[in-house]
Amino acid sequence: MFHLKFPLKISKFFGTKFWFEQLRSYKMSHNGILVQKFNPGTGSLEWDMQAESYDYIQEIARSGFADMLHDEERNFKYNLALNKALNILRIKGKASRVLDIGTGTGLLAMMAVKAQASAVFACETFQPMVKCSAEVIAHNGFADSIKIIPKRSTEITVGPQKDMEGKANVLITEVFDTELIGEGAIGTFNHANQHLLTEDSVVIPARATIYVQLIESHLVSSWNRSMPIKLGADFIKPPSNVSICPGNGAVHDVQLAQLKETHFKILSDPIPIFNFDWNSKVPIPKDDANTVNFFAKCSGKAHAILMWWTLDMDSAGEIVLSCAPPWAHPEGNELPWRDHWMQAIYYLPDDITIESEGERLHLTGYHDEYSLWFGLQTETSPSVTMPRPSCDCSVHLACSRPRLGQLNDNDRNQKYIRVLEKMISSDTVCLTLGDCCLLGLIVAKLGARKVYAAERNPHCRRVLEAWVKRNDLEEQVTVLDGDLEKRKLDLKVNLVLGEPVFESSVLPWHNLYFAHWKNTVQHLLADGVTKILPGKAYLYAMAVEMKDLWKIRAPVRSTQGIDLTVFDNLIESAIDTSDSQVEPHPLWEYPTRALSPAIQLMMLDLTTLSRMTKEIPEVEGKVNLPVTGTVNGVALWIDWQLDEANVISGGPTAPVTLGQNVQWDMHSKQAVYFIKDPVSLPTEEKCLNYQINFVPDTYEFKFKFSIL
């Protein structure tokens, strides 16, 4: 959902109790803000009245603090390093003045009090969490021991009658993301060391090391490169500027542990590429490069770089927190789950062929203040400095990485081709509706008389025009903008075609916008003979046990002896008020066991959907849960039926076995309904009861699931 807020009434917020009052009065509020919401059914922005606390509620509900707090290894090692540092200061007879930058809930600051710090300062700029941390700290009895500074660390003043009367000699902070430096860690540590800390200060963590590993992977490459589409003995070829574009420079964070061995080939050992000394009084460069020479483990084609990092929590390097994938982790395969720090994929500007094992290679890592990128050279390559990748072909501006994977999925493409081969003739006049939809090129290659390709996104239009030109299809294919309601075409359309995929879609059923769009172009269709493909959409559900993903909605309760129930209550109230219990997630990254068969909840006829939505009745039913486990969620997805034999599924890609992990489509997100109170299944069977309502104005669904 995208929204813009327009304040009708401004009020100040005074603590968590006031927040709860705001949340409870949400549905009855007559004052508030106007919010622009995207309506997936119409593809338009619409105004909606929300409570005046809406914006803050959204910030809390989506803040992600609970995910970090569930990371018990993180919490334990921070606490261990902090106690070690303060014990050393006590032995030396020194007082400990601790500064916690980015305190969040106040957890690290409270750890410092419990470790008997002499003074504790907690800095936080995210105002909803400033108020939350004050409540959590007070609830734990530490209100008089911690001074909260509600501003950025770079705004803290030091001196008499200022934020801190003297400099701190211990800094504890967690300002890292998957890319390590993406939240501004370099600037934060540089400023703290120069302005907020003593010369002999201790910083927790003390150091960080970024590791990289070279891989060959056609799957990974498919998320960044446009590839030819096989059409019988022929190919539909991507434009040359698309196939060689380096892509965009944004980090691609992913749970590497869920990639299978068959998905990639390792071409190098893990390589330390950057080391950061967070305790350095010499500023860390905001722009830097480092080249490492190494020998290839085997021959292959280098497509990408895998990246992760480790933290030395103490100066001696005895307490180490690693984000490495299982095959490179120092503590073996049983790793703590975390979603706030994953691993990352970086794409090379060019694929590099490695001729043999032992070939000498040169990998250069670059970073600015917030991001990383990499270049690879062989012994015979000219030495060049690589700029940060940026897209010059429009594909990476128009398409997400999963969307590129979809477009490159040969099995998926062949299903469309098999169906279209039986439908296309020299009389076919086709209209395609979608974002970066290449199906019109297939239709043209199969001999259609004419293809009109409607693209709402200007980047998509440029991409499609380049594909059309590259394949000499200008006579057959005309690319249009998405405003078709008043347009006239030279020929009447007898085939409306979509995948359907729209980049604005958040949940699987948002792609039902295809049906609405189709209904706005009736004046372009031939009388009585127009075919719609896909013709039907099926909504499916499955009761699942999520190994780890459930934690993002679960209460923390306590960690390291700190009571966080106040935070739990605030998050729960915010989520209940601001969000549906349904969220989009790429479930291939999150192991889920099937606790029920797939349930077909509803069939939607796309040929009549826009005209008859008000006649779709409420759906109720139940399904047995025949295996043991804990039901903590329901997975939901859409299947698009092309014909009796060919279905495009956004769900499982292999037959589901009860009690086993589900193999999910890797190029789309499924919807997850979180069960608020998970239910452990005993040996006797229970049932998943469901109630589904279709909302015709927005093409949304209302779900109610219960276990009985």
Side-chain angles (χ1 to χ4, degrees), residues 312-449:
D312 287 344
M313 304 302 294
D314 62 325
S315 58
E318 296 172 346
I319 306 170
V320 178
L321 193 157
S322 176
C323 293
W327 62 85
H329 202 283
E331 298 179 17
N333 290 327
E334 286 300 317
L335 309 182
W337 179 81
R338 51 177 62 102
D339 207 42
H340 53 104
W341 298 331
M342 296 190 237
Q343 300 82 37
I345 299 171
Y346 292 87
Y347 298 93
L348 296 169
D350 299 294
D351 298 339
I352 303 295
T353 299
I354 300 172
E355 300 293 346
S356 62
E357 176 185 355
E359 182 176 345
R360 185 176 171 85
L361 300 168
H362 314 283
L363 178 67
T364 302
Y366 305 85
H367 76 77
D368 55 24
E369 189 171 0
Y370 300 102
S371 55
L372 304 165
W373 65 97
F374 301 92
L376 181 69
Q377 295 174 316
T378 65
E379 286 283 78
T380 58
S381 302
S383 179
V384 294
T385 298
M386 303 297 303
R388 188 169 185 265
S390 62
C391 175
D392 56 16
C393 73
S394 291
V395 167
H396 305 91
L397 303 176
C399 297
S400 66
R401 286 170 173 133
R403 176 62 175 144
L404 268 174
Q406 279 183 332
L407 293 172
N408 289 323
D409 187 337
N410 183 62
D411 291 341
R412 186 174 185 273
N413 288 334
Q414 293 307 312
K415 288 182 179 181
Y416 289 109
I417 290 169
R418 284 195 294 271
V419 174
L420 291 171
E421 283 177 330
K422 294 182 287 186
M423 298 178 65
I424 303 305
S425 71
S426 58
D427 295 325
T428 299
V429 178
C430 176
L431 172 64
T432 63
L433 304 175
D435 287 351
C436 281
C437 180
L438 302 180
L439 295 181
L441 281 74
I442 295 173
V443 171
K445 282 281 192 178
L446 291 174
R449 180 182 179 186

Side-chain angles (χ1 to χ4, degrees), residues 228-239:
I229 300 172
K230 183 172 174 55
L231 185 59
D234 197 4
F235 288 92
I236 299 174
K237 300 174 183 178

